[in-house]
Amino acid sequence: MNVGIIGGGTMGSGIAQVAATAGCQVKLYDTNQVALDKAKAALEKILSRLIEKGRIDTVEKERIQSNISYVDSLKALSDSNLTIEAIIENLEIKKKVFSELESYVANDCIIASNTSSLSIASIAASLEKPERCIGIHFFNPAPLMKLVEVIPAIQTSKEVLETSVQTISEWKKVVAVAKDTPGFIVNRVARPFYGESLRIYEEGIADFATIDWSLKTLGGFRMGPFELMDFIGNDVNYTVTETVFTAFYFDPRYKPAFTQKRFAEAGYLGRKSGKGYYDYAEGATKPNPIEDKALGQHIFDRVLVMLINEAADAFFLNIASAEDIDNAMTKGVNYPKGLLAWADEKGIDWCVSKLDELYEEYHEDRYRCSPLLRKMNRGNKAFF
């Protein structure tokens, strides 16, 4: 298969590596020659490191490298069977690129976007043949993260969806098919991990370190929410939250936090700026959490039930299957368990009771219980 990748940044070059490793002939396109040179040098470094770790040998390294060529003309992608765009998250720019690309490629070429939250239907509308368009959303770093969300637009043909799922599966990725709604699966369902943790902080219930300690120690998450926001970048994470909030017509469940907005405005972006919720300067010490088990359990339960509620609502609204939702959260963001399986473990009655306690306390629509959880509770049902 001939694969064209648009965008020589970290994501584009990562997808190129995945496709080349799977045996595809890949052309990586960027208008910036410096970006292409950096992508080529980065691949050399990554593959050399894999040799050092004993994961591949020099023959495999040369095979992967020989499968990728670097081009500075969009027209060079004309022989592609599949193209994947991985450029700036700007709808108008993506539409412009797709419209030009379509004039070069064959009629049966699949044109895909790696967007994390933009409407695939809107992107597809820029094409003469919108049925060939689909979302194929990788997670960073693409070679390491197992999950890929595949998002058909309402215009996408059944054949394009089937071919896309088969291709990405052959690239040894776990595919989760999602409806074309804001945030798809992961960026939608994960919002409470950050949002509810920020709310707990803003209420003065606990500080950053204690909330992180709770989610890691009691919940088994690899990183706490504030560590993770610092890792992602407060500017990036806030923008995703604001985008999802706006796209859902200002549903209070996705309401951004002023704390994160102010940190982003102050330039406290996290690791990349040297300071975020924690100080990353040389010699700086991380604050100690308050290791109070009762407090930690309260924090963990509150964040977990909000995550479960979001996952249940995504299933209720047919965003994805229960299996794909749980796979998305374990393979896409490394959650210790699938949220719907976690709901079964805790008990649907526990979930409903916890959510009703929160709603009774706050009377905010943010804490409304998913109708599906109520229905399942009445029928004594489970997700699996």
Side-chain angles (χ1 to χ4, degrees):
M1 174 180 272
N2 293 330
V3 177
I5 307 295
I6 302 171
T10 303
M11 184 58 78
S13 56
I15 297 170
Q17 181 186 334
V18 171
T21 301
C24 299
Q25 294 301 308
V26 181
K27 289 179 181 176
L28 181 61
Y29 160 76
D30 201 292
T31 55
N32 187 336
Q33 186 60 47
V34 174
L36 291 174
D37 292 341
K38 284 178 69 176
K40 191 171 185 179
L43 180 64
E44 168 69 29
K45 188 175 180 180
I46 289 166
L47 296 179
S48 295
R49 195 178 302 136
L50 289 176
I51 289 175
E52 290 172 10
K53 292 180 178 179
R55 304 268 180 87
I56 63 172
D57 56 23
T58 53
V59 174
E60 175 68 357
K61 175 188 173 185
E62 289 170 6
R63 182 189 73 84
I64 293 169
Q65 287 177 316
S66 68
N67 282 345
I68 304 178
S69 56
Y70 300 83
V71 299
D72 59 5
S73 166
L74 197 60
K75 194 173 183 178
L77 306 185
S78 61
D79 62 348
S80 299
N81 307 112
L82 166 66
T83 58
I84 303 176
E85 162 274 315
I87 60 173
I88 187 171
E89 285 286 85
N90 181 295
L91 183 59
E92 294 310 311
I93 293 175
K94 289 180 190 292
K95 282 184 170 185
K96 185 177 178 182
V97 170
F98 273 38
S99 182
E100 182 184 350
L101 175 69
E102 190 177 34
S103 68
Y104 301 134
V105 297
N107 285 333
D108 59 353
C109 174
I110 295 172
I111 299 179
S113 174
N114 183 61
T115 181
S116 60
S117 58
L118 295 176
S119 162
I120 305 301
S122 291
I123 296 170
S126 67
L127 299 175
E128 293 289 334
K129 289 173 62 65
E131 64 273 14
R132 66 162 75 192
C133 185
I134 195 166
I136 299 180
H137 178 219
F138 287 79
F139 290 79
N140 197 22
L144 297 180
M145 300 304 286
K146 283 291 185 183
L147 180 79
V148 176
E149 293 176 325
V150 173
I151 310 99
I154 56 173
Q155 305 101 309
T156 305
S157 72
K158 183 180 177 182
E159 293 73 25
V160 165
L161 173 59
E162 289 173 350
T163 301
S164 299
V165 169
Q166 181 182 343
T167 299
I168 300 304
S169 298
E170 288 171 354
W171 291 1
K172 299 183 179 178
K173 295 296 183 181
V174 175
V175 174
V177 178
K179 189 185 283 188
D180 184 15
T181 53
F184 311 135
I185 303 172
V186 171
N187 279 326
R188 172 191 181 141
V189 174
R191 288 346 299 156
F193 189 67
Y194 316 108
E196 201 57 28
S197 298
L198 283 157
R199 177 66 179 262
I200 289 167
Y201 166 77
E202 289 182 339
E203 288 181 24
I205 293 171
D207 59 15
F208 305 139
T210 301
I211 296 168
D212 279 351
W213 166 80
S214 166
L215 272 295
K216 289 191 297 180
T217 304
L218 302 178
F221 290 90
R222 293 187 186 181
M223 297 178 77
F226 295 97
E227 290 175 326
L228 187 51
M229 285 186 282
D230 272 355
F231 181 79
I232 295 168
N234 269 303
D235 52 342
V236 174
N237 189 266
Y238 177 79
T239 298
V240 172
T241 301
E242 192 174 46
T243 301
V244 171
F245 179 54
T246 303
F248 274 108
Y249 307 108
F250 307 103
D251 187 323
R253 286 189 305 181
Y254 310 110
K255 186 178 180 180
F258 280 116
T259 294
Q260 188 170 32
K261 181 176 174 63
R262 295 294 181 258
F263 269 66
E265 289 170 342
Y268 294 173
L269 307 182
R271 290 180 178 272
K272 64 185 177 184
S273 69
K275 187 171 185 178
Y277 299 112
Y278 299 106
D279 190 344
Y280 298 94
E282 190 176 343
T285 56
K286 197 171 181 180
N288 293 319
I290 298 169
E291 297 186 11
D292 181 309
K293 191 169 182 181
L295 173 62
Q297 193 68 49
H298 172 75
I299 294 165
F300 167 57
D301 286 349
R302 182 165 160 178
V303 174
L304 176 62
V305 80
M306 292 293 280
L307 285 166
I308 287 172
N309 196 44
E310 197 59 48
D313 224 42
F315 181 49
F316 174 60
L317 296 172
N318 295 303
I319 304 306
S321 69
E323 292 79 5
D324 279 355
I325 289 169
D326 273 11
N327 274 335
M329 303 317 291
T330 54
K331 302 294 194 299
V333 277
N334 292 318
Y335 279 17
K337 298 176 188 176
L339 292 169
L340 300 180
W342 220 333
D344 286 348
E345 181 184 303
K346 298 292 283 186
I348 304 301
D349 57 340
W350 178 88
C351 299
V352 173
S353 295
K354 284 289 179 186
L355 288 161
D356 283 349
E357 282 176 21
L358 287 165
Y359 186 82
E360 185 61 32
E361 179 73 23
Y362 295 101
H363 283 273
E364 291 181 41
D365 213 29
R366 173 191 188 94
Y367 298 108
R368 68 184 186 270
C369 178
S370 171
L372 178 61
L373 289 175
R374 290 202 186 283
K375 185 177 180 180
M376 291 174 67
N377 193 37
R378 286 195 301 271
N380 197 28
K381 303 284 188 183
F383 285 103
F384 300 105

